[in-house]
Amino acid sequence: MSFVHLLSYKIFTIFDKILFVKTSFLSLFLLFSGLALQAQSPTLGLLYKTANVSDGYTLFTPTGSNNVFLIDNCGELVNEWKFGEMPGAVCYLLENGNLLRAGKDTIEIRDWDDSRVWHFALNANLGVNQHHDIEILPNGNILCLLTDNISSSDMFDLGKDTVSVPGLIKLDRVIEIQPVGLDSAFIVWDWRFLDHLIQDFDSGKPGFGVIADYPELLDINYPTFYTVDFTHCNGIDYNADLDQIMLSARSLDEILIIDHSTTTAEAAGHTGGNSNMGGDFLFRWGNPAVYQQGTSADRKLFIQHDPKWIPSNYLDGNKISIYSNGGDSEGTNYSSAVIIDPVINNGVYAKSSGKFLPLDYDWTWKGVILGDTMREGKMSGLHTLPNGNFIVCETSKGQISEISKAGVVEWVYKNPRGSNDFLQFEVIPAYENSMFRAEKYPSDYIGLQGKDLTGIELLEGTNAISDTCSLTTGIKGIDVFNIGIINPIKDGQVRFNEIVEFDRISIYDFQGKLVETRSNFYGQSFRIELVDGLYILKLAQGTAVQSAKIIVH
């Protein structure tokens, strides 16, 4: 070998060694940098999970997004529906697997694959505006909350003292619509607060009487702080066994129950239906001062939201759960999860000394979630699960938590979507990721049966807790933890130590961007074209997801 050739050989040999050291150092730097990033506690997506979390899937629609998301207990997205207008404000997974969603004007039903089944724009077709909540009935009809805007002069004619309320006054209304075809609906039932008023202001006006003698009617002169938005209903629920509807009247600090077995004509009166009370209140609870059967000291609910009858096969079956935003007493700095147990004798809601029973909560919880006291001044929600655990949605934080009946926090998830798509560790301005409510469905919920619940991706991009999370259901006969991945990845080939089968393989960079994906993979290797760096490889089969860090070199 000539001197030139020998010198060239040594130079290139030295260069190769330097290059090897540098690339090895880069790999180690990327690895440890990535590990350091992963070591930080996540600020978005799955924040906390214990082994005692209930099996199930959580559905939510951020107030600032057109989309609806369904996630598993590891925070992995399993399905997504995309709509053309902002939410208004709830969505529900139906027993047939379809999604019912209220937009700002349009109520829609989509199938699991996001194809439109039915839609109807209420304002465009009926000149009315749905707000806050809707409720599906067993026959497929839908209950909607509406607002009656009544002039101050008309309210004065009904006996309201309107000196301090010169403009419009709002009272709520419930309609039942029957979906027809692909884009039509008919109103088949109608109920109004306006038809169930009492007043002691003017004996010459309709509805004059002694307020305390008529708890089934609304005192139109009750001194609520919300003089214009007098009832402000923010939640509606239906009990098929009783054929009754429950409303949450935020401005009155109480929940109310009415008879649904009436005709529309009967609903406007005081007789008829199973109760023979027409559309009058069968039950009200939370603030007996509204019907002059107590004082502020007797109040139990404070600007509450989301009352629901607990299904009869659940731990607290046939009771009622409520999110009390203002806690369980006046002047508190916390919110409360509340359960009450109404007393029904021979089909009639019982009272004691004029007050509807119970006189106190059956159960209540106020506490701390990941170091912060639960306190929500508006919106938010609560519902129970079969084992007695309950789901809390904190609107301002965009946060969903599962808490046991004993008050132990079992699971916490922070929504990364809203006006923008936020990635892990990004700072989210207040309410930018908010959601009105969230619903969790048990794994055996009939609407989930036969559906592909494979994890697709993390909405926040990457999450150290999700990476080590496992679901109760295993991977179809394969224990992913025993599958080896040849790491680092060389020559653009991802290699496993054996032939594997997955529904989906996804690769994310460390900014959370999906950069590579394979569906219905079967084999021992596949080719990628990625720049050198640290990545997250996610393997999904069935409802299980396993993640691993890989270095592309």
Side-chain angles (χ1 to χ4, degrees):
M1 180 182 294
S2 70
F3 175 77
V4 173
H5 288 133
L6 179 61
L7 180 61
S8 299
Y9 172 78
K10 288 185 176 181
I11 290 174
F12 280 110
T13 301
I14 294 170
F15 178 78
D16 284 344
K17 289 181 179 180
I18 292 172
L19 180 63
F20 174 78
V21 170
K22 285 187 175 181
T23 53
S24 297
F25 175 79
L26 175 62
S27 297
L28 289 172
F29 174 78
L30 288 170
L31 174 62
F32 286 109
S33 296
L35 291 174
L37 181 63
Q38 288 290 293
Q40 297 181 50
S41 296
T43 60
L44 290 175
L46 185 61
L47 304 184
Y48 184 76
K49 176 180 176 290
T50 75
N52 297 320
V53 64
S54 304
D55 290 340
Y57 297 84
T58 302
L59 184 78
F60 62 93
T61 177
T63 57
S65 170
N66 289 354
N67 297 357
V68 175
F69 305 98
L70 183 69
I71 61 171
D72 61 25
N73 277 348
C74 288
E76 193 89 4
L77 178 72
V78 298
N79 205 13
E80 181 177 1
W81 296 263
K82 300 177 181 180
F83 293 85
E85 66 181 27
M86 301 296 275
V90 295
C91 56
Y92 298 102
L93 189 64
L94 305 182
E95 291 187 352
N96 62 2
N98 287 344
L99 180 82
L100 172 66
R101 189 249 195 188
K104 284 298 185 183
D105 183 33
T106 304
I107 298 176
E108 290 192 54
I109 297 176
R110 300 277 185 95
D111 66 16
W112 184 262
D113 297 319
D114 202 19
S115 296
R116 179 184 283 171
V117 175
W118 171 84
H119 70 286
F120 187 71
L122 274 76
N123 186 272
N125 289 285
L126 301 176
V128 296
N129 294 311
Q130 174 272 332
H131 65 83
H132 283 88
D133 201 3
I134 57 178
E135 177 72 10
I136 191 76
L137 299 180
N139 63 2
N141 290 355
I142 302 167
L143 296 174
C144 305
L145 284 174
L146 310 178
T147 299
D148 279 332
N149 294 301
I150 307 156
S151 70
S152 181
S153 59
D154 285 344
M155 290 303 297
F156 179 78
D157 291 341
L158 292 172
K160 182 171 177 61
D161 180 359
T162 58
V163 172
S164 60
V165 194
L168 291 175
I169 296 172
K170 298 179 180 181
L171 291 175
D172 283 290
R173 171 186 175 192
V174 179
I175 62 170
E176 177 184 342
I177 61 173
Q178 177 185 353
V180 177
L182 300 177
D183 58 2
S184 298
F186 298 115
I187 296 178
V188 296
W189 188 82
D190 201 341
W191 177 92
R192 287 175 159 93
F193 270 102
L194 188 63
D195 298 319
H196 306 280
L197 308 178
I198 188 170
Q199 54 91 14
D200 58 3
F201 173 67
D202 190 334
S203 61
K205 300 289 174 59
F208 182 80
V210 178
I211 307 299
D213 292 343
Y214 295 91
E216 67 273 19
L217 301 175
L218 174 62
D219 176 10
I220 198 60
N221 290 300
Y222 172 71
T224 174
F225 177 77
Y226 308 94
T227 54
V228 174
D229 199 357
F230 194 79
T231 50
H232 190 106
C233 285
N234 55 32
I236 186 168
D237 197 40
Y238 176 74
N239 188 312
D241 293 333
L242 300 173
D243 200 7
Q244 295 174 3
I245 295 169
M246 180 161 52
L247 303 170
S248 168
R250 180 185 186 273
S251 295
L252 303 175
D253 299 308
E254 64 175 352
I255 61 171
L256 306 106
I257 292 176
I258 58 175
D259 194 343
H260 176 256
S261 69
T262 58
T263 64
T264 292
E266 290 171 336
H270 312 290
T271 60
N274 295 337
S275 63
N276 198 32
M277 291 180 62
D280 289 345
F281 311 139
L282 307 180
F283 174 80
R284 58 199 306 180
W285 198 87
N287 186 15
V290 182
Y291 54 98
Q292 294 188 4
Q293 289 291 349
T295 67
S296 60
D298 298 300
R299 192 188 314 174
K300 297 296 181 182
L301 296 178
F302 299 83
I303 56 175
Q304 76 292 326
H305 285 76
D306 199 17
K308 283 187 174 75
W309 273 288
I310 300 174
S312 58
N313 60 333
Y314 282 23
L315 180 64
D316 291 294
N318 301 315
K319 299 175 184 179
I320 294 171
S321 63
I322 312 161
Y323 188 91
S324 184
N325 294 67
D328 51 16
S329 58
E330 194 164 9
T332 63
N333 60 353
Y334 54 82
S335 299
S336 296
V338 170
I339 293 178
I340 65 169
D341 190 9
V343 178
I344 303 177
N345 294 326
N346 299 318
V348 177
Y349 287 92
K351 296 191 288 287
S352 175
S353 301
K355 299 182 184 69
F356 282 96
L357 296 176
L359 297 179
D360 208 345
Y361 314 106
D362 181 74
W363 174 88
T364 182
W365 179 85
K366 54 182 180 289
V368 174
I369 301 174
L370 298 187
D372 292 332
T373 299
M374 184 178 73
R375 176 69 175 101
E376 289 293 315
K378 60 182 181 179
M379 298 186 274
S380 304
L382 165 79
H383 71 274
T384 63
L385 299 171
N387 63 357
N389 288 6
F390 58 97
I391 295 294
V392 164
C393 173
E394 298 174 276
T395 291
S396 69
K397 297 178 179 179
Q399 187 166 286
I400 311 163
S401 302
E402 180 177 333
I403 303 168
S404 74
K405 190 75 180 292
V408 178
V409 176
E410 306 290 3
W411 184 86
V412 182
Y413 178 89
K414 190 163 187 175
N415 166 41
R417 295 294 173 92
S419 56
N420 291 296
D421 295 346
F422 299 100
L423 295 177
Q424 191 62 261
F425 307 120
E426 282 193 68
V427 177
I428 301 179
Y431 285 97
E432 288 296 300
N433 68 330
S434 66
M435 61 187 82
F436 183 62
R437 292 217 298 256
E439 310 292 329
K440 183 168 186 176
Y441 297 89
S443 294
D444 61 358
Y445 177 63
I446 188 171
L448 294 171
Q449 302 313 300
K451 299 296 186 290
D452 182 0
L453 299 172
T454 304
I456 300 171
E457 63 176 329
L458 295 173
L459 296 176
E460 68 278 16
T462 185
N463 187 304
I465 298 177
S466 294
D467 288 346
T468 58
C469 173
S470 61
L471 300 175
T472 301
T473 304
I475 283 188
K476 302 175 183 176
I478 301 177
D479 181 357
V480 180
F481 293 95
N482 288 335
I483 291 177
I485 301 169
I486 298 173
N487 207 6
I489 308 301
K490 295 184 178 180
D491 304 321
Q493 289 285 337
V494 176
R495 296 181 178 88
F496 300 96
N497 64 339
E498 60 183 84
I499 294 177
V500 296
E501 182 177 4
F502 293 107
D503 295 331
R504 185 179 178 89
I505 297 177
S506 305
I507 299 178
Y508 299 84
D509 65 20
F510 248 82
Q511 282 68 51
K513 180 181 178 182
L514 179 66
V515 293
E516 193 84 29
T517 184
R518 295 286 188 279
S519 297
N520 301 315
F521 177 82
Y522 178 84
Q524 195 167 353
S525 67
F526 62 93
R527 184 163 186 79
I528 58 174
E529 293 184 6
L530 298 174
V531 299
D532 290 0
L534 186 64
Y535 296 85
I536 297 294
L537 174 73
K538 295 200 173 186
L539 311 173
Q541 193 165 357
T543 59
V545 177
Q546 176 69 27
S547 299
K549 301 177 187 69
I550 59 172
I551 297 174
V552 174
H553 173 59

